[in-house]
């Protein structure tokens, strides 16, 4: 490790060198006065070099002593500990760290912890800065295996001591037990004493390291009398033993077997610093201490069945107690839900057997697991939503291929029929319903955040003004719509069409929440966050934002349903009155735009949705929206050769016929490999590549890049049911390329290809 003084080592060398040069020069200069001055300067520099070297040496000795003492202090710590420098490089790790992470000297701590939790570099950087300012820092981190607590202390001038503690294995009651008048200790599975409270240290006359230095008659049996080796002689005491995670045991020494002591034991049990129940094998609660009664929200909690206080999650309490009474599944925690709690409370309960007055009893240790279950539920929910998003994206991709074939061949049939034909109306119905299906698929893609956005700088005031006419028709006569704008509102960058869909979904939901009528308010405002804002599970970075609020005074949303409203296919409306895709679509669009969406609601008082979008600078002239181009089918005949690459045969057949009808020569390939094989003929001239993006084997951008090496002037049209972000990025880097999303019509395809020929 280095420190601030060690950085002066090169300067010490320079001072010494300059001093030697000056002293040598003093003997050769002809002027004696100048020689004396040179000699004085050289001696001064030499003196400064000696002082700095001495300070440097003392500083190194001090730092070496600090690191030595710290290393000796944490060497036998049961929790993994590391000493790092300012760059995060590990210089020392104790035995527990070596056992868990192997010897990682010379590596950074972020590298060591990379498999333990996500993004350790950011966590370590934040904690190290805090320790630099305050001397120490501590942070709890949730991993897939449970909770860990990471603590750091600054040592010396540039060293940091890190300690990693797994909360699921720590003796969580040790700190509270320190002030307990009842003697207690915590031991490991091997019998090593991990903790002794002050009452037991006074009883024994000091600390001991192993359990055999405490008891004469091992092994101990919970609920039985044992001999304790006290400082004043052997003491008879009743032992209560609780087994925790990792085989650790908490042992409490209760008063002796005298009648008075037995009478006092009930009061002592009631004041134990851990929630405990004494249960008969039949399931009847015989005794419950104060903490257990508080946790179960039951003032008596005795002479009642445990099944009346808690309920199992997939397993009945009766079966669980029956197994424990027969010695199966002891000391393994079971997660249950409290029945009488005012709010949802989950408990981890572990059972152990004791013998009391010759009869077997069950001792239950309770731990509040509500926070753990909440985090677990959030993790499962995020995994489920991710899986649904992937499924939605895949289904939408396949559906878009089918819809492209349906609408495409329908367009081909419409070319051969006019409005007077009998089949014309049927073909129009097919086309319209295919477009409706495409809109539904677009909602799935919006939820999975894989739709193709066309973001632009827009002014929300203009967007809402244009949308007001449609919204007024949507809300009906019984509901009034009011808009309030911030006069200094800054623009945002978003896909205007998708943003309009979000606002329409929110307004329709607000209308449905007020069946008897009311007012829907849409408000816009600009805000500045001076620091990061945390809300729900989101973190909004500091900066300037445009906030849109859509509020109503309707029936509201119950609190137990608020966390589900953005899930796909979840709806509070009646059967047939909603698809459950509106809010999930809004959520996906807002997130893909880089914004945030939150909801506040109270049953009977209404609901307010708040949308946060990053603010942008004013629109430049180049960003003013161009007029919408005419998308009517073009009858202009084209000339040229097109290589069409599409793995879906129906889509390839439609696209090939459509392009040939416009006069183009079309070469077909069903895969990227076939396309490259076709291009091996150097005599073949190709003007435009029309290729799918996602195909089995090599994808569209990959084969096009390879083909453009020998044919750099060929134009490219990419088509896809959806485009992954990295594929879109690759497409954007390919020159002379455009993107055409599926499903596309005959005119969409031919117009896009024609524009490429003339670009």
């Amino acid at each position: 490790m280095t420190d601030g003084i060690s950085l002066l080592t090169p300067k010490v060398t320079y001072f010494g060198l300059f001093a030697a040069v000056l002293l040598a020069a003093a003997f050769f200069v002809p002027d004696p006065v100048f020689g004396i001055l040179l000699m004085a300067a050289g001696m001064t520099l030499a003196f400064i070099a000696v002082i700095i070297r001495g300070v440097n040496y003392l500083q190194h000795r001090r730092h070496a002593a600090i690191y030595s003492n710290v290393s000796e202090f944490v060497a036998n710590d049961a929790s993994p500990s590391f000493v790092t420098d300012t760059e995060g490089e590990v210089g020392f790790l104790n035995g527990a760290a070596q056992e868990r992470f192997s010897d990682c000297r010379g590596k950074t701590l972020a590298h060591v912890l990379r498999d333990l939790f996500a993004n350790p570099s950011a966590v370590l950087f934040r904690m190290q800065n805090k320790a630099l300012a305050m001397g120490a820092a501590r942070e709890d981190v949730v991993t897939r295996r449970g909770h860990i607590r990471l603590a750091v202390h600054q040592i010396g001038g540039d060293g940091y001591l890190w300690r990693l503690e797994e909360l699921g294995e720590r003796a969580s009651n040790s700190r509270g037990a320190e002030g307990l008048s009842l003697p207690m200790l915590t031991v490991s599975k091997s019998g090593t004493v991990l903790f002794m409270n002050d009452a037991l240290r006074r009883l024994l006359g000091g600390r001991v390291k192993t359990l055999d230095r405490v008891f004469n008659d091992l092994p101990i049996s919970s609920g039985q009398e044992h001999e304790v080796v006290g400082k004043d002689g052997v003491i008879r005491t009743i032992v209560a033993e609780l087994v925790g995670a990792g085989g650790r045991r908490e042992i409490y020494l209760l008063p002796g077997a005298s009648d008075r002591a037995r009478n006092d034991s009930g009061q002592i049990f009631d004041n134990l610093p851990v929630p405990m129940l004494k249960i008969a094998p039949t399931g009847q609660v015989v005794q419950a201490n104060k903490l257990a009664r508080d946790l179960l929200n039951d003032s008596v909690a005795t002479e009642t069945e445990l099944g009346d206080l808690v309920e199992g999650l997939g397993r009945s309490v009766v079966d669980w107690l029956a197994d424990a009474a027969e010695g199966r599944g002891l000391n393994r925690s079971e997660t249950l839900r409290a029945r009488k709690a005012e709010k949802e409370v989950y408990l981890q309960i572990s059972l152990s057997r004791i013998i009391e007055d010759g009869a077997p009893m069950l001792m239950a240790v309770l731990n509040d697991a509500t926070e753990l279950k909440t985090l677990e539920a959030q993790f499962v929910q995020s995994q489920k939503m991710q899986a649904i998003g992937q499924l939605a994206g895949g289904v939408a991709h396949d559906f878009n291929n089918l819809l492209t074939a349906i609408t495409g061949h329908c367009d081909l049939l419409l070319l051969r029929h006019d409005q007077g034909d009998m089949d014309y109306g049927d073909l129009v119905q097919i086309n319209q319903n295919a477009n409706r299906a495409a809109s539904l698929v677009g909602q799935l893609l919006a939820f999975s955040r894989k739709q193709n956005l066309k973001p632009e700088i827009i002014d929300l005031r203009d967007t809402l003004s244009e949308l007001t006419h449609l919204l007024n028709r949507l809300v009906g006569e019984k509901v009034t719509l009011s808009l309030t704008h911030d006069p200094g509102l800054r623009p945002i960058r978003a896909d205007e069409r998708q943003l309009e869909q979000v606002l329409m979904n929110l307004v329709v939901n607000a209308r449905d929440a007020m069946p008897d009528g009311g007012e829907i308010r849409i408000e816009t405002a600009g805000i500045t966050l001076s620091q990061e804002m945390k809300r729900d599970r989101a973190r909004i970075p500091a900066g300037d934002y445009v906030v849109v609020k859509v509020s109503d005074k309707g029936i509201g949303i119950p609190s137990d349903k608020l966390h589900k409203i953005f899930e796909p296919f979840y709806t509070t409306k009646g059967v047939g009155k909603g698809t459950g895709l509106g809010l999930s679509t809004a959520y996906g669009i807002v997130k893909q735009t880089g914004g945030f969406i939150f909801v506040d609601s109270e049953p009977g008082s209404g609901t307010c949705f708040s949308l946060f979008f990053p603010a942008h600078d004013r629109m430049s002239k180049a960003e003013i929206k161009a007029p919408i181009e005419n998308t009517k089918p073009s009858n202009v005949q084209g000339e040229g050769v097109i290589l069409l690459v599409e793995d879906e045969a129906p889509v390839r057949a439609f696209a090939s016929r459509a392009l040939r009808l416009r006069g183009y020569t079309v070469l077909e390939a069903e895969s990227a490999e076939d396309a490259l094989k076709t291009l091996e003929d150097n005599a073949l001239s190709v003007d435009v590549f029309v290729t799918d993006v996602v195909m089995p084997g090599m994808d569209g951008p990959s084969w096009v890049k390879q083909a453009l090496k020998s044919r750099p002037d060929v134009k490219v049209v990419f088509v896809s049911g959806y485009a992954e972000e990295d594929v879109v990025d690759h497409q954007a880097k390919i020159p002379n390329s455009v993107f055409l999303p599926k499903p596309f019509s005959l005119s969409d395809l031919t117009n896009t290809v024609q524009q490429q020929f003339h670009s």
Side-chain angles (χ1 to χ4, degrees), residues 491-504:
I492 65 171
R493 189 171 187 270
D495 186 317
E496 186 171 22
R497 187 176 63 84
Q498 298 288 351
L499 184 58
E500 289 174 351
Q501 183 180 353
V502 171
L503 294 171
M504 282 192 291

Side-chain angles (χ1 to χ4, degrees), residues 464-517:
L464 286 171
S465 297
E466 295 173 2
L467 191 61
T468 302
H469 303 292
L470 175 60
L471 294 179
N472 280 322
R473 289 198 298 270
L474 283 174
V475 298
E477 296 181 356
K478 290 196 282 186
V479 177
T480 59
L481 184 69
S482 64
L483 275 72
T484 304
H485 290 304
D486 182 344
L489 197 68
R490 295 172 60 183
I492 65 171
R493 189 171 187 270
D495 186 317
E496 186 171 22
R497 187 176 63 84
Q498 298 288 351
L499 184 58
E500 289 174 351
Q501 183 180 353
V502 171
L503 294 171
M504 282 192 291
N505 286 338
L506 296 179
V507 169
V508 168
N509 283 343
R511 178 203 65 188
D512 294 342
M514 298 186 295
D516 298 326

Side-chain angles (χ1 to χ4, degrees), residues 115-163:
D115 294 329
L116 192 59
F117 58 91
N119 198 15
S121 300
V123 176
L124 298 178
F125 179 75
R126 181 171 60 249
M127 292 183 64
Q128 185 168 309
N129 284 342
K130 189 174 181 180
L132 185 64
M134 305 179 63
R138 185 180 68 179
E139 198 165 310
D140 291 347
V141 182
V142 179
T143 70
R144 290 176 180 268
R145 299 180 180 178
H147 292 64
I148 63 169
R149 174 165 294 167
L150 191 60
V152 59
H153 294 265
Q154 188 180 22
I155 55 175
D158 64 342
Y160 295 90
L161 171 63
W162 302 83
R163 188 171 186 271

Side-chain angles (χ1 to χ4, degrees), residues 255-278:
S258 66
D259 292 337
R260 180 179 177 183
R262 287 184 181 275
N263 292 333
D264 292 342
S265 64
Q267 182 178 358
I268 294 173
F269 177 82
D270 196 61
N271 293 322
L272 285 176
V274 57
M276 292 182 63
L277 299 174
K278 188 183 294 183

Side-chain angles (χ1 to χ4, degrees), residues 389-405 441-442 444-445 448 450 452 646-648 651 692-696 719-724 739 741-743:
Q390 291 175 345
L391 175 63
V395 169
H397 175 260
D398 292 338
F399 261 84
N400 276 332
N401 277 325
L402 296 174
L403 291 171
T404 302
V441 172
L444 285 175
L445 285 174
S448 61
K450 292 178 180 176
N452 301 291
E646 171 62 63
D647 61 305
E648 289 286 338
V651 177
D692 195 6
V693 172
V694 181
M695 295 182 292
V719 297
S720 180
Y722 70 85
E724 297 279 4
F739 183 81
K742 294 179 182 177

Side-chain angles (χ1 to χ4, degrees), residues 171-281:
S172 58
N173 299 305
S174 299
R175 183 175 299 177
E178 183 62 57
L180 187 67
S181 60
L182 192 69
M184 68 84 60
L185 71 158
T186 304
V187 297
S188 67
K189 191 174 183 179
S190 62
T192 302
V193 176
L194 304 175
F195 170 79
M196 299 171 61
N197 71 349
D198 186 60
L200 184 58
R201 292 196 297 272
R202 290 198 306 268
L203 181 66
L204 301 181
R207 291 183 178 274
V208 297
K209 294 183 178 181
T210 56
L211 195 61
D212 58 4
R213 300 289 302 275
V214 181
F215 296 98
N216 279 335
D217 47 356
L218 292 177
I220 61 175
S221 178
S222 185
Q224 301 298 312
E225 281 193 338
H226 286 272
E227 293 183 352
V228 176
V229 183
K231 65 177 181 178
D232 298 325
V234 175
I235 303 170
R236 301 286 298 179
T237 182
I238 297 175
V239 174
E241 181 182 23
L242 307 175
V243 179
R248 295 188 179 186
R249 297 175 291 166
E250 292 182 2
I251 301 173
Y252 295 86
L253 306 186
L254 306 179
S258 66
D259 292 337
R260 180 179 177 183
R262 287 184 181 275
N263 292 333
D264 292 342
S265 64
Q267 182 178 358
I268 294 173
F269 177 82
D270 196 61
N271 293 322
L272 285 176
V274 57
M276 292 182 63
L277 299 174
K278 188 183 294 183
I279 308 169

Side-chain angles (χ1 to χ4, degrees), residues 30 109 150 199 210 230 271 349 351 476 503 568 570 572 657 682 705 732:
L109 187 57
L150 191 60
T210 56
N271 293 322
I349 304 179
L351 297 176
L503 294 171
Y570 178 82
T572 57
R657 286 182 57 190
N682 294 327
K705 282 183 180 179

Side-chain angles (χ1 to χ4, degrees), residues 590-667:
V590 171
K591 286 294 183 182
Q592 193 172 5
T593 304
F596 302 85
I597 182 170
F598 304 104
V599 58
D600 298 287
S601 186
E602 186 175 340
S605 298
T607 303
C608 178
F609 285 90
S610 300
L611 285 65
F612 287 71
F613 297 100
H616 283 257
D617 294 329
R618 291 290 171 188
M619 291 183 289
S620 64
K621 294 182 179 179
E623 292 170 326
I624 297 176
K625 292 181 291 184
I628 300 175
E629 297 181 1
N630 186 7
T631 57
K632 293 182 179 180
S634 173
N635 294 321
V636 178
Q637 292 295 103
E639 293 182 359
V641 179
I642 298 172
L643 176 58
L644 174 64
V645 186
E646 171 62 63
D647 61 305
E648 289 286 338
V651 177
R652 189 172 65 251
F654 149 64
S656 176
R657 286 182 57 190
L659 293 171
R660 287 192 178 104
L661 284 173
R662 290 291 179 261
Y664 298 108
T665 302
V666 181
L667 306 175

